[in-house]
Amino acid sequence: MTETIAILDFGSQYSQLIARRVREAHVYGELLPWNAPQSDIEALTPKGFILSGGPLSIYEEGSPKLPEFVLASGLPILGICYGMQALTYALGGRVAASEAREYGLAELEIIAPSDLLNVEDDLQVWMSHGDRIESLPSGFNVLAKTANSPMAAISDETRRYYGLQFHPEVNHTPSGRDILKKFVIDICGCSGDWTPQSMIKDAVARIKAQVSDAPVLSAVSGGVDSSVATALVREAVGSQLTAVFVDTGLMRQDESAWVEKAFGEHFGKNLRVIEAAETFFSKLKGITAPEEKRAVIGETFIRLFEATAKRLSSPPYLVQGTIYPDVIESRAPEREHAHRIKTHHNVGGLPEAMDFELVEPLRYLFKDEVRTVGEALGLPLALVHRQPFPGPGLAVRCLGEVTPGRIEKLRQADAIFVTALERAGLLHSGSMKPEVGGTVAQAFAVLLPVKSVGVMGDQRTYEETIALRAVTTEDFMTADWARLPDDLLARVASQIVNEVTGVNRVVYDITSKPPGTIEWE
């Protein structure tokens, strides 16, 4: 049984980072809403609780409160920011608005070493709060303070309760990873057995329990997620699995041939290819709204799979490469207070009525965890470390109406950009030149339905615009724009304008995530 830390989400923008940091300590952390049913939380048999931050004030009417059963469990509890205030409030302490709000970097002065903060030197930490603790519950002591927070870290060592006013999960708190590791390993007593091998073992067991000896279809796109999900299911059920690749006509340049070759080598006769470009373009005709595009594509995928299933003895199970960021951004039910960013076609874009039960072995894994599982399964590195590609394909990078001509225009521009990065050693190289600032994790072109005036060959042009997007990221939950060399961008822009008919302007997207998303739609 995998050791678990239950992370109760009170709405912080950093909640997902807490789960990531826990998992970096090789302990499985699962994020649940603060008001998740007691039975759901207890089913995890957690070794401890972490309470996230949140945007509200604990003393406001209707604000989230710490469930009583969490305290009754007798397990270690770590409250972070709002979570610390929720813990204090539940135990009879007093929380009030601060005279001075505290945002950004602060110096944490250690007052009393503890099991959590057993350091002698003061720490740099990241603060983001407007309330503070005014009086402690019985049994608590102050561990550390800042200029504006006299109780910036507190503990009741006897009951193994801890509170931090700062955010240890963010990179701006350099010692934060160590603090969280101390909590889950030293205080909660976890052994740190959450490894790629254990992820595979757990996933295989769940898959076998779900599908038994029934036939299974797997939707493969050539992307990392669907590839690893398919490999996991094959590990579990062997020849019961048939992989299906749908050529939507919305793929990157030479993508279809690459996928058929890569998967043919691994699945042989168990790979079926469906040529469906005409179907998808017909269904997408006249549609410009991003959410409608995703819904149409999701619906079309399912209907094609249903038709394929009938020809293959009607497998009742469909494998999809849904991963944790997909779930969070689509506002799945398990995070009820999060805002929907966009519907992923393999999460919220599927029709309610379909003939399949979904098998989603990666649903609670981050992208980097998916890659490590893929490597452990023996998949080729070229496949495991491919750039992410959205399930709806180029349709969500083609803003406005999706037509064969506009998709081809986008496909050519995208290939020029990606090829230039690969030749420069900036993409999938494992490292980048220091002046660039980090590995490019994802790069692509976007076609905008925006026309502008240009001059080519002394003649006036009025054509569409290509936006280039390249980001650096560890987990795809947050990302920063890649600082690409000016001369490379200049060469790419010149080549696109000269070689791609119908484009006369190229721009570079310098928006981070948040506030933007990596994909434009």
Side-chain angles (χ1 to χ4, degrees):
M1 182 71 178
T2 300
E3 296 173 329
T4 302
I5 297 295
I7 303 162
L8 300 190
D9 181 11
F10 288 94
S12 170
Q13 60 180 316
Y14 304 130
S15 295
Q16 298 83 25
L17 281 178
I18 300 173
R20 283 199 48 75
R21 300 301 176 237
V22 169
R23 295 184 190 191
E24 286 171 2
H26 301 296
V27 175
Y28 178 68
E30 184 162 327
L31 187 66
L32 305 105
W34 66 273
N35 58 351
Q38 180 176 348
S39 58
D40 289 358
I41 296 175
E42 291 178 344
L44 298 174
T45 59
K47 301 272 286 185
F49 290 93
I50 297 179
L51 317 178
S52 84
L56 303 179
S57 294
I58 190 67
Y59 46 79
E60 291 179 355
E61 183 178 353
S63 61
K65 301 298 190 293
L66 181 62
E68 293 182 4
F69 71 84
V70 174
L71 294 173
S73 71
L75 296 171
I77 301 173
L78 171 62
I80 296 173
C81 199
Y82 184 94
M84 169 186 176
Q85 296 160 15
L87 178 63
T88 299
Y89 185 88
L91 293 170
R94 183 170 178 269
V95 181
S98 299
E99 292 182 3
R101 296 186 176 188
E102 195 170 20
Y103 297 103
L105 293 174
E107 290 296 321
L108 187 75
E109 180 183 344
I110 303 298
I111 297 174
S114 67
D115 291 340
L116 192 66
L117 300 175
N118 55 349
V119 293
E120 296 179 359
D121 297 329
D122 295 341
L123 304 174
Q124 185 182 68
V125 298
W126 183 260
M127 290 286 194
S128 180
H129 67 98
D131 296 331
R132 70 180 189 180
I133 308 299
E134 293 290 338
S135 63
L136 289 174
S138 175
F140 275 80
N141 295 304
V142 178
L143 303 179
K145 66 179 182 179
T146 67
N148 290 320
S149 294
M151 302 178 191
I154 61 175
S155 76
D156 180 335
E157 302 282 346
T158 301
R159 289 183 286 183
R160 298 179 297 173
Y161 292 165
Y162 299 85
L164 302 175
Q165 188 61 74
F166 59 90
H167 289 273
E169 68 272 25
V170 302
N171 287 328
H172 295 299
T173 301
S175 299
R177 284 176 170 86
D178 290 336
I179 292 171
L180 289 170
K181 185 175 181 180
K182 286 174 185 173
F183 177 73
V184 300
I185 300 294
D186 298 341
I187 295 171
C188 295
C190 294
S191 60
D193 62 354
W194 178 245
T195 64
Q197 290 71 28
S198 68
M199 294 179 205
I200 293 170
K201 182 179 178 181
D202 288 350
V204 166
R206 288 197 304 271
I207 294 164
K208 287 181 176 179
Q210 181 181 4
V211 308
S212 185
D213 57 356
V216 184
L217 280 181
S218 181
V220 298
S221 66
V224 178
D225 305 329
S226 67
S227 301
V228 175
T230 301
L232 264 176
V233 176
R234 179 168 180 156
E235 183 84 4
V237 302
S239 60
Q240 293 169 225
L241 174 72
T242 298
V244 178
F245 169 62
V246 177
D247 187 348
T248 62
L250 305 170
M251 312 301 287
R252 293 172 286 197
Q253 186 162 290
D254 301 324
E255 182 94 7
S256 298
W258 190 95
V259 170
E260 288 189 47
K261 182 177 184 297
F263 277 88
E265 292 174 353
H266 286 84
F267 296 100
K269 295 180 179 180
N270 280 351
L271 174 68
R272 302 297 178 96
V273 179
I274 302 175
E275 302 289 346
E278 289 187 12
T279 300
F280 277 89
F281 282 120
S282 175
K283 295 288 187 182
L284 289 166
K285 186 175 181 179
I287 294 175
T288 59
E291 289 295 279
E292 191 176 354
K293 284 182 189 177
R294 290 176 178 273
V296 166
I297 290 170
E299 170 94 23
T300 305
F301 262 111
I302 289 300
R303 301 312 170 212
L304 286 169
F305 282 119
E306 287 175 341
T308 302
K310 291 177 181 177
R311 295 193 295 270
L312 298 172
S313 302
S314 298
Y317 294 100
L318 176 65
V319 180
Q320 291 204 119
T322 307
I323 65 172
Y324 211 14
D326 297 340
V327 174
I328 294 167
E329 289 186 349
S330 294
R331 197 192 175 196
E334 51 264 51
R335 193 168 190 244
E336 76 174 51
H337 296 292
H339 289 277
R340 174 184 289 172
I341 306 303
K342 56 189 175 184
T343 299
H344 290 261
H345 87 281
N346 57 348
V347 181
L350 297 180
E352 291 185 10
M354 56 185 182
D355 295 342
F356 300 103
E357 180 179 324
L358 294 182
V359 180
E360 298 174 304
L362 309 177
R363 188 175 177 85
Y364 294 103
L365 296 186
F366 289 99
K367 179 72 74 173
D368 57 322
E369 294 172 327
V370 172
R371 294 190 195 279
T372 60
V373 167
E375 290 181 13
L377 287 168
L379 291 177
L381 294 180
L383 186 60
V384 174
H385 290 280
R386 294 197 82 201
Q387 284 195 73
F389 189 55
L394 295 178
V396 291
R397 294 177 180 173
C398 180
L399 277 61
E401 186 176 10
V402 177
T403 67
R406 295 191 76 227
I407 287 294
E408 183 56 33
K409 193 185 303 185
L410 171 59
R411 186 163 24 236
Q412 292 176 25
D414 183 77
I416 290 170
F417 183 37
V418 171
T419 299
L421 290 175
E422 290 174 341
R423 288 176 177 171
L426 303 182
L427 190 63
H428 300 317
S429 62
S431 63
M432 290 181 68
K433 298 175 183 178
E435 66 267 27
V436 177
T439 304
V440 173
Q442 190 171 0
F444 54 89
V446 179
L447 180 62
L448 307 181
V450 175
K451 289 189 174 183
S452 64
V453 174
V455 179
M456 297 181 71
D458 294 327
Q459 293 186 337
R460 178 185 185 274
T461 62
Y462 188 59
E463 307 290 1
E464 289 187 306
T465 301
I466 284 287
L468 304 178
R469 180 75 156 144
V471 299
T472 61
T473 180
E474 291 182 2
D475 53 23
F476 292 85
M477 288 303 303
T478 60
D480 194 14
W481 61 279
R483 273 62 170 175
L484 297 178
D486 294 346
D487 58 343
L488 181 144
L489 289 172
R491 290 195 306 272
V492 168
S494 177
Q495 187 177 355
I496 289 174
V497 169
N498 281 285
E499 296 182 11
V500 181
T501 302
V503 173
N504 70 351
R505 191 174 298 272
V506 177
V507 298
Y508 187 52
D509 183 350
I510 59 170
T511 312
S512 62
K513 176 187 178 179
T517 55
I518 295 177
E519 298 288 346
W520 278 46
E521 288 192 341

